[in-house]
Amino acid sequence: QSCHRPAGQRAGPEPGSGGLPEGVEYIPTRKRGKNPMKPVGVAWYSLYARTRLGYLFYQRQVKKARERYPHGHSVPQPCCFPGVKILPIPVLSNNYSYLVIDTGSSRAAVVDPSDPLVVQAAIEEEGVMLEAIFCTHKHWDHSGGNAALFQKHNSCKVYGSALDAIPQLTNPLADREKVSVGCLTFEALATPGHTVGHMVYVLDGEPFGSPPCLFSGDLLFLAGCGRPFEGSPETMLASLDVAVGLGEDTLLWPGHEYALECLTFASLLELDNSALEQKLQWAVQQRQDKRSTCPSTLGEEQTYNPFLRTHRPELQEALGLWQDGGEDLDAFRARVLKEVRRRKDLYQAT
């Protein structure tokens, strides 16, 4: 597989009915791979996140995904810059792990190794030495491979927040703390909301002439964001603002392949958003060919991701929300975010 720089947003064909290219029938991804967080209630989430039942459910997920997607749910599309290679690894039914390689020293880090067998196969194929596991949060579909990989790679360290019960955590990280792997430098950012200890990791691209790379876990997806299981709308908004603050050229590497579902939902909110329409057409073609939709950029995301557009009058009007007299702007934006989240949850449930 050849490495390539991520292509810019491509124009699709003229839209047909329903905002999709003519002749294309959209089948929501939720009818394909199963996400254990979809049918969630308070009791179910507690069982999944805090008991052995969650681990057993994860093991079942792994087994079924290996049978259904023996070569992964998507075709991996490596991204290379001088000195660094980023390899998305499709795991489970819609997750992504990421192998990030310092090509000069063949030292590597992996982000959220959901399926240890699939990740180990990528490590062996690339011929690299695994030095670090960066775990965004405790959920098994992101942390389930930590123990097996830690056992296999003696010099490997497991990084993450001490506020989450991350398996095999060896090196707890504080907000803004940096970690080096070969010539690669990662910065951990605390982004609570999805879980209380959720962290994202930012690869400094400056030494390689590349943009920063954000490995966002379940904070931010293409056109979507994670559910705030352990935080308020205000908390989630603050965490999303941290991500946006990284800059428009930052590459977004999300934890899940949710692009079609998220873009289709977003298109129901903003009917006249040309950037959204164009991105949806592009994503439809990508997924028809089983190609990954990542990365996008944070600049792109701000043109169509409703969870990053809480400040936009057109979205506020579409939701029928207006700022109350004397209401703090961020409080109003949190109210907008809460309404977008409510509608997205209802959309997922249909």
Side-chain angles (χ1 to χ4, degrees), residues 190-206:
T191 51
H194 185 67
T195 66
V196 69
H198 193 286
M199 278 189 153
V200 299
Y201 300 95
V202 182
L203 173 65
D204 181 6
E206 187 174 354

Side-chain angles (χ1 to χ4, degrees), residues 80-158:
C80 288
F81 299 98
V84 61
K85 179 177 182 179
I86 300 172
L87 177 63
I89 306 174
V91 289
L92 304 184
S93 62
N94 53 41
N95 282 71
Y96 285 111
S97 301
Y98 294 97
L99 187 63
V100 188
I101 303 168
D102 170 12
T103 56
S105 67
S106 293
R107 298 178 181 179
V110 66
V111 181
D112 287 353
S114 307
D115 185 335
L117 289 185
V118 178
V119 172
Q120 179 60 29
I123 292 170
E124 292 176 3
E125 183 175 347
E126 295 294 328
V128 296
M129 180 172 63
L130 185 65
E131 288 199 349
I133 294 172
F134 292 108
C135 198
T136 60
H137 62 293
K138 64 190 175 187
H139 292 159
W140 290 111
D141 63 320
H142 293 258
S143 65
N146 289 6
L149 289 172
F150 178 72
Q151 185 175 9
K152 189 170 185 65
H153 299 271
N154 295 331
S155 63
C156 180
K157 297 177 181 178
V158 180

Side-chain angles (χ1 to χ4, degrees), residues 38-340:
K38 293 287 178 64
V40 75
V42 174
W44 167 243
Y45 178 73
S46 296
L47 289 172
Y48 179 82
R50 301 186 177 97
T51 73
R52 181 168 174 76
L53 183 63
Y55 180 68
L56 295 175
F57 188 92
Y58 153 77
Q59 287 184 312
R60 181 171 174 267
Q61 272 188 294
V62 171
K63 182 176 183 295
K64 292 182 69 175
R66 288 174 182 171
E67 293 171 352
R68 185 171 185 180
Y69 305 107
H71 304 294
H73 59 74
S74 302
V75 178
Q77 300 174 71
C79 176
C80 288
F81 299 98
V84 61
K85 179 177 182 179
I86 300 172
L87 177 63
I89 306 174
V91 289
L92 304 184
S93 62
N94 53 41
N95 282 71
Y96 285 111
S97 301
Y98 294 97
L99 187 63
V100 188
I101 303 168
D102 170 12
T103 56
S105 67
S106 293
R107 298 178 181 179
V110 66
V111 181
D112 287 353
S114 307
D115 185 335
L117 289 185
V118 178
V119 172
Q120 179 60 29
I123 292 170
E124 292 176 3
E125 183 175 347
E126 295 294 328
V128 296
M129 180 172 63
L130 185 65
E131 288 199 349
I133 294 172
F134 292 108
C135 198
T136 60
H137 62 293
K138 64 190 175 187
H139 292 159
W140 290 111
D141 63 320
H142 293 258
S143 65
N146 289 6
L149 289 172
F150 178 72
Q151 185 175 9
K152 189 170 185 65
H153 299 271
N154 295 331
S155 63
C156 180
K157 297 177 181 178
V158 180
Y159 297 91
S161 171
L163 298 178
D164 263 17
I166 292 175
Q168 299 297 140
L169 181 66
T170 61
N171 291 65
L173 293 174
D175 184 35
R176 306 283 175 177
E177 191 169 349
K178 295 183 179 181
V179 177
S180 294
V181 177
C183 293
L184 310 177
T185 301
F186 295 84
E187 183 177 15
L189 300 177
T191 51
H194 185 67
T195 66
V196 69
H198 193 286
M199 278 189 153
V200 299
Y201 300 95
V202 182
L203 173 65
D204 181 6
E206 187 174 354
F208 312 104
S210 78
C213 292
L214 170 62
F215 299 94
S216 61
D218 280 359
L219 170 68
L220 188 61
F221 311 128
L222 194 154
C225 82
R227 294 178 67 175
F229 291 119
E230 300 180 9
S232 65
E234 291 78 8
T235 300
M236 199 71 179
L237 178 65
S239 292
L240 291 170
D241 283 349
V242 167
V244 169
L246 295 172
E248 292 189 353
D249 65 335
T250 301
L251 298 181
L252 173 65
W253 301 93
H256 289 271
E257 180 57 71
Y258 288 161
L260 280 183
E261 180 178 314
C262 290
L263 286 164
T264 303
F265 165 74
S267 71
L268 301 176
L269 297 181
E270 293 193 70
L271 302 179
D272 299 319
N273 186 324
S274 59
L276 172 55
E277 181 179 281
Q278 184 178 349
K279 191 69 175 184
L280 176 57
Q281 294 172 16
W282 173 84
V284 166
Q285 187 60 57
Q286 288 290 103
R287 297 312 297 155
Q288 283 182 335
D289 297 336
K290 301 295 185 184
R291 293 197 301 267
S292 169
T293 57
C294 59
S296 62
T297 70
L298 292 182
E300 276 188 275
E301 291 298 315
Q302 291 174 74
T303 67
Y304 53 67
N305 188 329
F307 296 96
L308 299 185
R309 292 172 59 79
T310 54
H311 62 294
R312 299 294 299 185
E314 53 266 49
L315 178 62
Q316 297 163 5
E317 183 177 349
L319 296 172
L321 296 176
W322 289 269
Q323 187 174 3
D324 295 334
E327 184 179 21
D328 178 77
L329 178 58
D330 283 344
F332 175 52
R333 291 177 59 217
R335 191 155 58 87
V336 174
L337 183 69
K338 182 178 180 179
E339 178 61 16
V340 175

